[in-house]
Structures are given as C-alpha cells and as structure tokens.
Amino acid sequence: MLALPDNPAPLLEQVAVRVGKMPYVRFDLNDYSVPHDHVRRGLTILADPQEVRIVDGSAVIALHPRCYDKGAQIEEPAHVQALVDQKRSARKHRATDRLVRAAPASQTLLMRAAERGENLGAITATLLRLLDRYGAGELQASICEALTRNVPHPNAVRLALDRRREERGAAPPVAAGLPAHVQARDRPVKPHALETYDQIKDCSDDNN
C-alpha cells in the first residue's frame, strides 16, 4: 500500500448559489453577506473548515470565517454600510423625483443651492412639506419668484407662498398629520345597491 502524503489534500466544498433581493448567500444553513451590487447574480462558494470564500468568476468578492451555527447571519461591516448608503441614496432620489415632477423649477433651485454649498437633503425635505401644504401650482410659482430674486432657499419660497396666500385672502394652510387608522376611517364608503333592500322586502312580503 502507498503511504499517505505528508500534506493531506484540503477539504474544499464548492457550491453554486444565486443571490436574491438581499445581498446574502445561504450556505450550510447560514447566511453570508456579499457586496450589494452583486444581488440577483449567480456566484460560487468555496468553503473549507475555517473560512468561506464567495467568488464571482475568478474574483473573490467576500471572505468570511466559517460558521457552524444554524440561521446565523455572518456580515462584513463594509457590506452592510454600503447597503445602508445605497438605500439612503435611493430614498433621496425618489424624494427629488417627486419634487421635480410636481414643481419643475425646483431642479434649478437645487442646482443653485448646491453651488452655494447648501444641504440639498434638508432643502428637498422642506420643499416637499411645502408641496403637501400649498400644492404644486403655488409651489412652482413661489420657487420661480425666489429664483427671480436670486435667493435659492426654502425660506424665500415660504415667504413667497405666504405673500401669495395673503393676496388671495386665504387662511393659512394647516398640515394634518393623521394616523393611518384615522385616515382609513375617513375613506369614502361605497353604498350598496338599493335593489338589494327591495329584494329583501319582497321576500318578507311573500313569507307573510
């Protein structure tokens, strides 16, 4: 019989996996994180008794210590932070899109505010609150007025909104932040067809 080699062959498991919506791959009943830009892709896991390597082609994209628990999440802090940053950026993008669709002049205001080093996130949030309170038409007109005065700031927009409201003799708008269950209670109720009640009455008369 041949003698065993001095260096035993490494115990390496190779598993093909596919990343879903979240940047994790499942291996041996545990979830290991991957960079968020690798979601919905096929990857390969190379695991030995000490570590789990996740590769995309020939590139190693994640390296984790192997876990022998069940249902654990093994995460690389950089992966998690990148995912948080990406989600925060997506929320800001959606908010800006909504604002620009409602009041196109807001895009110019944001550009000029950026040139002055202003906080665009805070400006966007303030303009969205003004949009909810005054409406798209009034916000658009007031932003144009602020830009004409070369003051690309929400305070100038708010002053223009208040002035226009006073000129119309309108009362100050009130933002009503009602809880969801109260809003649901105030939804319009669709009435039933009256013919149903006629049928019930006819049945009652027949029984008599």
Side-chain angles (χ1 to χ4, degrees):
M1 295 179 65
L2 295 176
L4 294 174
D6 295 333
N7 298 319
L11 300 176
L12 185 66
E13 298 180 59
Q14 180 172 329
V15 181
V17 293
R18 183 164 184 82
V19 189
K21 295 180 181 179
M22 298 301 295
Y24 294 90
V25 295
R26 173 63 60 91
F27 173 70
D28 197 20
L29 302 180
N30 296 303
D31 294 324
Y32 295 83
S33 69
V34 298
H36 73 276
D37 54 356
H38 282 73
V39 297
R40 301 185 183 279
R41 295 177 63 172
L43 302 174
T44 302
I45 292 178
L46 302 174
D48 62 32
Q50 285 75 41
E51 65 182 15
V52 173
R53 285 177 292 161
I54 305 167
V55 300
D56 184 3
S58 60
V60 178
I61 63 171
L63 180 62
H64 298 282
R66 184 164 182 173
C67 177
Y68 290 92
D69 293 335
K70 291 183 179 180
Q73 278 192 334
I74 300 87
E75 299 174 331
E76 169 62 41
H79 297 165
V80 177
Q81 186 59 49
L83 178 61
V84 171
D85 293 342
Q86 188 266 344
K87 287 181 176 294
R88 184 181 296 119
S89 176
R91 285 195 298 270
K92 290 181 179 178
H93 184 70
R94 288 194 296 270
T96 303
D97 280 352
R98 180 193 169 209
L99 178 62
V100 171
R101 285 197 302 270
S106 61
Q107 186 170 21
T108 302
L109 186 145
L110 290 172
M111 291 174 58
R112 293 189 185 177
E115 293 171 356
R116 300 186 177 202
E118 301 285 354
N119 185 329
L120 298 186
I123 292 176
T124 301
T126 300
L127 292 178
L128 284 173
R129 287 194 294 270
L130 294 175
L131 171 63
D132 293 336
R133 183 169 296 185
Y134 289 90
E138 284 299 305
L139 181 63
Q140 170 71 7
S142 298
I143 290 176
C144 290
E145 182 175 322
L147 292 174
T148 301
R149 295 170 51 202
N150 197 27
V151 187
H153 195 275
N155 288 342
V157 177
R158 187 182 291 109
L159 289 173
L161 285 166
D162 288 339
R163 181 188 57 76
R164 291 171 59 85
R165 174 187 57 78
E166 291 173 356
E167 289 179 351
R168 297 194 308 272
V174 178
L178 298 176
H181 71 279
V182 176
Q183 295 181 23
R185 190 172 58 197
D186 291 338
R187 289 174 184 167
V189 177
K190 183 179 180 180
H192 293 288
L194 298 179
E195 290 80 0
T196 304
Y197 299 101
D198 293 336
Q199 293 174 4
I200 295 174
K201 183 177 182 301
D202 292 340
C203 292
S204 177
D205 293 340
D206 293 340
N207 292 332
N208 291 334

